[in-house]
């Protein structure tokens, strides 16, 4: 589990392999502190199992990962966002990030807004349904707040502050650039719970205070929502 707060920007030293899977060798320093073989590091928002070395680490990326994320487009010298798995008892500055990318979106627009940069990202409609204004989203491993959502062109925007631009690789993205998108996992669970509630047996619905099907306002209030 991750928080979406990037710890450092790494550099791809080499890529070995091909379509059947690759081994990424990434130069890093901070994320290697306390890291052991088998630990997880998010690389541009993708959770990978690593083998640390001196000043670098290696990680395997299987074909499914290469198909569903932008990691297949990395080259020697590419910059990547890095974050170690969340430590128990540590500060939680972002939101719950699993490192399981939902889609490879595409940057469609960049507009300056005072000190901020507004970035518009297009995603498949089945992913956009989980994106909500003022909700959380992860782009290349960076925890961000959604500024707006457009169903017309299946896109959303985020506002990037100078610190985010300076401390992550998001400043390298341009219109047309691919970007790894992970939606807020809570949205997926809520959808699943609502669907399960609607399909639950009548006895269970009565017990849960939702005899009419699905969750009710009374049920949510009863359990503190």
């Amino acid at each position: 589990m991750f928080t979406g707060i990037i710890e450092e920007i790494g550099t791809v030293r080499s890529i070995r392999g091909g379509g059947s899977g690759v081994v990424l060798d990434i130069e890093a320093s901070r994320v290697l502190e306390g890291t052991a073989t088998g630990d997880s590091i998010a690389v541009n928002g993708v959770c990978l199992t690593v083998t640390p070395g001196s000043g670098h680490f290696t990680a395997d990326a299987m074909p499914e990962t290469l198909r569903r994320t932008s990691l297949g487009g990395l080259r020697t010298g590419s910059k990547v966002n890095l974050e170690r798995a969340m430590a128990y008892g540590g500060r939680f500055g972002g939101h719950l990030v699993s490192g399981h990318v939902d889609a490879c979106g595409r940057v469609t627009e960049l507009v300056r807004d005072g000190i901020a940069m507004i970035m518009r990202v297009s995603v498949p409609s089945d992913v956009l349904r989980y994106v909500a204004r003022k909700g959380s989203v992860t782009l290349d491993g960076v925890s961000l707040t959604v500024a707006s959502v457009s169903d017309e062109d299946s896109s959303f925007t985020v506002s990037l502050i100078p610190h985010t631009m300076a401390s992550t690789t998001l400043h390298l993205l341009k219109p047309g650039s691919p970007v790894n998108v992970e939606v807020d996992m809570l949205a997926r669970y809520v959808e699943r719970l609502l669907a399960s509630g609607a399909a639950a047996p009548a006895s269970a619905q009565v017990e849960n205070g939702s005899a009419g099907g699905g969750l009710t306002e009374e049920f949510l209030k009863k359990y503190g929502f």
Side-chain angles (χ1 to χ4, degrees):
M1 195 66 68
F2 306 90
T3 69
I5 303 300
I6 303 305
E7 296 186 272
E8 71 172 308
I9 296 176
T11 303
V12 177
R13 301 195 334 162
S14 67
I15 302 174
R16 304 191 303 275
S20 60
V22 301
V23 178
L24 301 173
D25 190 332
I26 299 174
E27 179 181 333
S29 57
R30 184 175 180 182
V31 297
L32 297 176
E33 297 173 5
T35 297
T37 297
D39 286 350
S40 296
I41 291 178
V43 178
N44 276 358
V46 183
C47 178
L48 298 178
T49 301
V50 306
T51 300
S54 178
H56 70 108
F57 67 87
T58 59
D60 296 317
M62 57 187 175
E64 176 73 359
T65 302
L66 299 178
R67 285 192 295 266
R68 291 187 173 272
T69 74
S70 65
L71 294 192
L74 294 178
R75 299 291 182 267
T76 299
S78 292
K79 301 297 183 181
V80 290
N81 293 321
L82 303 176
E83 181 193 356
R84 288 169 292 186
M86 180 169 53
Y88 179 75
R91 283 191 172 87
F92 193 176
H95 72 282
L96 289 175
V97 176
S98 68
H100 302 157
V101 173
D102 291 290
C104 189
R106 194 160 297 277
V107 177
T108 60
E109 185 180 38
L110 291 168
V111 178
R112 175 66 64 181
D113 182 22
I115 65 170
M117 180 68 75
I118 304 299
M119 177 182 291
R120 181 173 296 278
V121 178
S122 65
V123 292
S125 58
D126 61 342
V127 172
L128 187 71
R129 65 188 294 181
Y130 300 111
V131 180
R133 181 174 176 271
K134 301 302 181 184
S136 297
V137 70
T138 307
L139 297 183
D140 275 355
V142 183
S143 174
L144 298 166
T145 300
V146 178
S148 68
V149 179
S150 172
D151 291 317
E152 292 183 3
D153 60 359
S154 191
S155 70
F156 62 89
T157 64
V158 293
S159 182
L160 307 176
I161 61 173
H163 173 75
T164 301
M165 297 287 279
S167 57
T168 73
T169 64
L170 295 187
H171 69 280
L172 299 175
L173 300 180
K174 300 176 175 60
S177 295
V179 61
N180 293 322
V181 179
E182 180 185 333
V183 300
D184 188 347
M185 67 174 67
L186 295 180
R188 291 195 294 258
Y189 282 117
V190 168
E191 180 184 58
R192 177 63 176 164
L193 285 170
L194 289 172
S196 298
S203 58
Q205 291 179 2
V206 170
E207 181 181 349
N208 290 339
S210 56
L215 298 179
T216 65
E217 183 177 354
E218 290 74 15
F219 174 78
L220 292 174
K221 286 181 178 179
K222 177 181 177 180
Y223 290 97
F225 292 94

